Amino acid sequence: MTAFRADLLEEKRRKRERLAWALTAGFAATVILAGIIGGVFWRWAFSDMPALPENLSVLADTRREHSITLLDMNGAVIDVRGPLYGSPVELDDLPDHVRQAFIAIEDRRFYDHSGVDFRGTLRAVFTNLRAGATVQGGSTITMQLVKNLVLTPERSMRRKIQEMRLAWQLERRLSKDEILQLYLNRIYFGARAYGIEAAARRYFQKSAAELTLAEAAMLAALPKAPSRLDPTSNLAAARERAAIVLAAMEEAGFITAEERAEAEANPAAPIAPEPETYRDPAVFGFIFDQAVQLAEAELGELPADAIIQVTIDPALQEAAHRTLTTRMDEESEAQGAGEAALLATTPDGAVRAMVGGRDYLQSQYNRAARARRQPGSAFKPIVYLAAIEEGASPFSVYYDEPVDLEGWQPQNFGGTYRGRVTLQEALRRSINTVSAQIIDEIGPETVVDMAARLGIETELPALPALSLGAVEVTLQELTAAYATIANSGERHTARLLERVTNSRGDILWERGPSEPEQVVEEADALTLSTMMQDIVLSGTGVAARLPERPTAGKTGTSQSFRDAWFLGFSADYIAGVWVGNDDDTPTNDVTGGGLPARIWRDFMIAAHDGLPVRPLAAPAPRERSAHEEELAAFYSELLNAFEAEVASIP
């Protein structure tokens, strides 16, 4: 009996051991299987999950589309290309009802959860099931922020799990107020507006700090469906959604029933942007492109929220565009000239107007800054200034007669010759043979050096044909050279850019102080300026003459009438005009003293409207009476005849 009991006990022991082993093995297998499943799940859910940046401050700028704002000389907005990003606002600077509106409608338990609101998620699930459609979302403000700034737009369970995990991580590294502030500064409100400040200015023309309760409710309504609820196009839907926000605010205890009733009785009324808020791209497009190109040259890649301030005077830019297009519309077809460009600066080099062509919307090629064309006689002031520097004077005598410079035989316009002339008369009448003789005397290298000092940046060939402008330069370069003459030989660096900042106000680049350089003796520049005044008073540039306002200038016409120019200056502005064809075909005999001079005159009259008449730095040439002109012509012919007789004596 004893042995039997012992066997029985031993059998029970063995069973217990087998059961324990089975349980242990099962548990181990379960743990292993759970580990495998967990590993697979973890890899499935998080293998491609991006990490939060080490420096979370970069989230303020991450994933911004490029937006460039252009400001005029006074800091007013000319245009915005791309989305409108508002300046970042501090949460403490906003009225309480602004933050409360967003919390009430987007995430009522924002300050209670740790990034994921399971209670809110379950409530949203049951609400959606009862409604048979998605009427509530379970995403918290933190989750929305992570989805917009870190994750891709993909909608899947895996992305939702990643969203939750990153939301928890973000909540451990930022305070609730920091998260809400970042959310308000980055969320999209429709109409290209990102951030609460941009939205407030876009829809209500005011700062976010000035938003009323009704306005805050309307803005809080927009993130759900920015396009469908756009108050400028669907005000009824926006107000209906704003009423839901107000009800949520009352339910959350943020506002009283009376405050809600008052806001509903006086709903927000968005203000449509005024027409002049952004200026016509057809008028300012060339400026925008040029400003961006120059800013990129200074900074490389521009930030996503670049703000570029330029020296442009919008009134002058509009006047330049209007006068150029009006004249061209009236005359271009008959003149056989399809394009034109205009550039105007102040004496200190600030570009106030730049029109790169007749129609920016048709062609964005900037003929004022990029097109290299032959200036013809518009280059002669540079040649004459080099001669004056070498000792010539307005009264130096030259002979207008056929010349042959190693096979080069320049001809005068019209094919006539005047014989004995002074330097001043030769410039006034734009006599080619005299310019050719000058460069032969002083050497092409001297003229090349003078051009570089005055502001011509193109590398010019040292050839005799340089005397007649048979080289290619830009209107911008030639205008800069004329500006140096207007400034009595003092060269100022031409400028369009003033500064580049971002939406936070950080100065990324700013024009530093620039000291003008005296590149030509003042007396020499003044002498030339007086001679150039004579061109406008009684020479080839009379069509550009301004009523009762001293000006100086020079015409230019290239070979076969392919290019026609007029450049000149007053005490207030230096301006240049080019007319021609993009394909370099000849015009219908357009000269610098014709269509370009008329465009220049139209613009300068508009530019000087309301400005006092000021004299030029150089004295005006003494105007000769008709009798004196006749006597001068008579004595010139007599002297020419006498010299011819002397030359014929064996």
Side-chain angles (χ1 to χ4, degrees):
M1 186 70 180
T2 303
F4 176 77
R5 286 181 58 85
D7 291 341
L8 185 61
L9 290 174
E10 180 63 21
E11 182 64 24
K12 288 182 178 180
R13 184 184 65 78
R14 290 194 187 102
K15 287 182 178 181
R16 286 197 301 270
E17 287 180 350
R18 287 195 295 270
L19 179 61
W21 183 88
L23 290 173
T24 301
F27 178 75
T30 301
V31 170
I32 293 172
L33 182 61
I36 293 172
I37 294 173
V40 171
F41 172 81
W42 190 270
R43 182 176 180 81
W44 169 78
F46 303 122
S47 62
D48 64 343
M49 186 184 79
L52 291 174
E54 291 186 13
N55 180 7
L56 292 179
S57 64
V58 303
L59 292 176
D61 295 316
T62 191
R63 289 193 179 174
R64 285 195 178 206
E65 295 181 45
H66 273 76
S67 172
I68 301 176
T69 302
L70 189 69
L71 308 180
D72 66 20
M73 59 184 285
N74 299 313
V77 176
I78 292 177
D79 198 2
V80 177
R81 290 184 180 177
L84 177 65
Y85 289 105
S87 301
V89 295
E90 297 290 331
L91 203 60
D92 292 340
D93 294 334
L94 296 173
D96 288 341
H97 55 250
V98 173
R99 75 164 77 185
Q100 291 166 352
F102 285 88
I103 290 173
I105 196 65
E106 294 290 341
D107 188 1
R108 193 173 302 179
R109 297 186 64 252
F110 174 70
Y111 283 100
D112 299 324
H113 60 66
S114 58
V116 179
D117 184 7
F118 290 107
R119 186 190 307 176
T121 300
L122 290 175
R123 183 176 62 249
V125 169
F126 287 126
T127 301
N128 294 338
L129 287 174
R130 283 197 303 268
T134 302
V135 295
Q136 282 190 13
S139 291
T140 64
I141 284 177
T142 312
M143 291 168 67
Q144 292 181 53
L145 195 61
V146 164
K147 178 175 63 177
N148 292 333
L149 302 186
V150 181
L151 293 171
T152 65
E154 176 190 341
R155 292 189 176 188
S156 64
M157 180 61 70
R158 185 165 61 97
R159 271 292 180 263
K160 181 61 69 173
I161 293 171
Q162 293 180 356
E163 197 176 297
M164 291 179 176
R165 185 183 178 199
L166 288 171
W168 281 322
Q169 293 178 359
L170 189 62
E171 291 261 353
R172 288 198 295 270
R173 297 176 61 183
L174 292 179
S175 69
K176 287 288 187 178
D177 282 354
E178 288 173 329
I179 291 171
L180 182 58
Q181 179 174 299
L182 184 59
Y183 172 82
L184 291 176
N185 282 320
R186 289 304 311 270
I187 196 166
Y188 181 54
F189 288 89
R192 299 192 307 163
Y194 286 82
I196 187 72
E197 182 70 15
R201 295 194 179 277
R202 172 72 79 189
Y203 296 115
F204 303 114
Q205 307 292 298
K206 62 170 64 174
S207 168
E210 302 171 321
L211 290 170
T212 65
L213 173 59
E215 291 166 345
M218 182 169 284
L219 292 186
L222 298 182
K224 178 180 177 63
S227 299
R228 181 174 60 83
L229 298 174
D230 184 345
T232 60
S233 58
N234 195 355
L235 182 58
R239 284 179 171 173
E240 183 180 344
R241 173 71 176 169
I244 295 174
V245 175
L246 290 169
M249 293 179 73
E250 181 188 357
E251 186 179 340
F254 292 141
I255 59 175
T256 64
E258 291 76 14
E259 289 173 322
R260 172 188 172 184
E262 182 180 355
E264 289 180 341
N266 300 281
I271 303 171
E274 297 180 8
E276 62 268 22
T277 299
Y278 299 127
R279 298 188 179 270
D280 189 352
V283 179
F284 291 86
F286 291 112
I287 300 297
F288 210 126
D289 291 350
Q290 184 72 2
V292 170
Q293 182 179 341
L294 293 173
E296 288 177 340
E298 295 290 346
L299 294 172
E301 185 178 358
L302 294 180
D305 56 346
I307 300 173
I308 305 173
Q309 184 171 6
V310 292
T311 59
I312 291 297
D313 181 335
L316 259 64
Q317 178 66 20
E318 289 172 347
H321 180 267
R322 182 177 60 254
T323 54
L324 183 145
T325 54
T326 298
R327 277 287 180 184
M328 292 298 290
D329 289 347
E330 292 173 352
E331 302 186 34
S332 64
E333 185 175 355
Q335 302 268 12
E339 273 299 347
L342 186 152
L343 181 70
T345 74
T346 58
D348 67 353
V351 176
R352 293 292 187 235
M354 176 188 286
V355 182
R358 295 177 64 184
D359 190 342
Y360 173 80
L361 301 181
Q362 291 293 324
S363 170
Q364 290 78 54
Y365 182 62
N366 190 338
R367 296 153 188 85
R370 297 175 58 191
R372 298 188 181 279
R373 307 294 294 237
Q374 289 190 2
S377 295
F379 193 84
K380 286 178 181 175
I382 299 173
V383 178
Y384 278 64
L385 185 54
I388 292 169
E389 190 174 66
E390 292 293 313
S393 80
F395 311 107
S396 297
V397 175
Y398 285 84
Y399 288 89
D400 176 19
E401 59 187 7
V403 294
D404 188 329
L405 303 178
E406 298 180 357
W408 180 50
Q409 300 175 338
Q411 303 291 315
N412 287 332
F413 181 75
T416 60
Y417 302 95
R418 293 183 173 273
R420 191 176 190 273
V421 294
T422 63
L423 194 69
Q424 180 163 336
E425 184 179 2
L427 183 60
R428 178 163 60 93
R429 298 184 182 278
S430 198
I431 298 174
N432 289 342
T433 60
V434 173
S435 293
Q437 292 174 58
I438 289 173
I439 203 168
D440 187 51
E441 291 176 2
I442 64 177
E445 296 80 4
T446 306
V447 176
V448 170
D449 174 69
M450 176 60 71
R453 282 188 280 151
L454 292 180
I456 302 295
E457 297 179 352
T458 299
E459 187 174 343
L460 303 178
L463 300 172
L466 189 64
S467 62
L468 304 187
V471 292
E472 292 184 343
V473 297
T474 65
L475 177 60
Q476 188 171 348
E477 289 177 299
L478 204 53
T479 305
Y482 275 63
T484 305
I485 297 168
N487 284 318
S488 305
E490 193 175 75
R491 179 178 173 181
H492 294 254
T493 302
R495 66 187 192 279
L496 177 65
L497 289 187
E498 285 287 8
R499 66 183 57 83
V500 182
T501 61
N502 57 23
S503 59
R504 294 185 299 278
D506 303 323
I507 297 177
L508 309 178
W509 178 89
E510 187 170 25
R511 181 180 62 85
S514 177
E515 290 296 324
E517 181 183 1
Q518 192 74 40
V519 296
V520 178
E521 290 291 335
E522 180 180 5
D524 294 340
L526 291 174
T527 296
L528 178 63
S529 179
T530 297
M531 296 168 65
M532 292 173 68
Q533 292 178 60
D534 205 18
I535 296 171
V536 177
L537 290 171
S538 59
T540 58
V542 290
R545 186 172 182 176
L546 301 183
E548 300 180 358
R549 189 176 296 272
T551 54
K554 182 68 183 76
T555 58
T557 310
S558 69
Q559 292 179 342
S560 302
F561 301 97
R562 285 181 169 85
D563 305 280
W565 309 68
F566 188 87
L567 295 98
F569 50 87
S570 67
D572 299 288
Y573 297 110
I574 300 93
V577 174
W578 166 86
V579 172
N581 290 307
D582 285 341
D583 60 4
D584 204 31
T585 55
T587 64
N588 295 339
D589 297 347
V590 176
T591 64
L595 180 55
R598 290 191 288 275
I599 294 173
W600 187 91
R601 182 179 184 273
D602 292 345
F603 167 72
M604 291 293 270
I605 289 175
H608 288 84
D609 185 33
L611 295 181
V613 175
R614 297 199 298 138
L616 293 172
R622 188 177 70 85
E623 294 192 35
R624 294 183 290 188
S625 65
H627 179 64
E628 288 177 312
E629 288 282 0
E630 290 176 3
L631 283 176
F634 171 75
Y635 284 122
S636 178
E637 292 176 5
L638 184 63
L639 185 57
N640 288 335
F642 174 75
E643 289 175 341
E645 285 293 334
V646 171
S648 66
I649 298 174

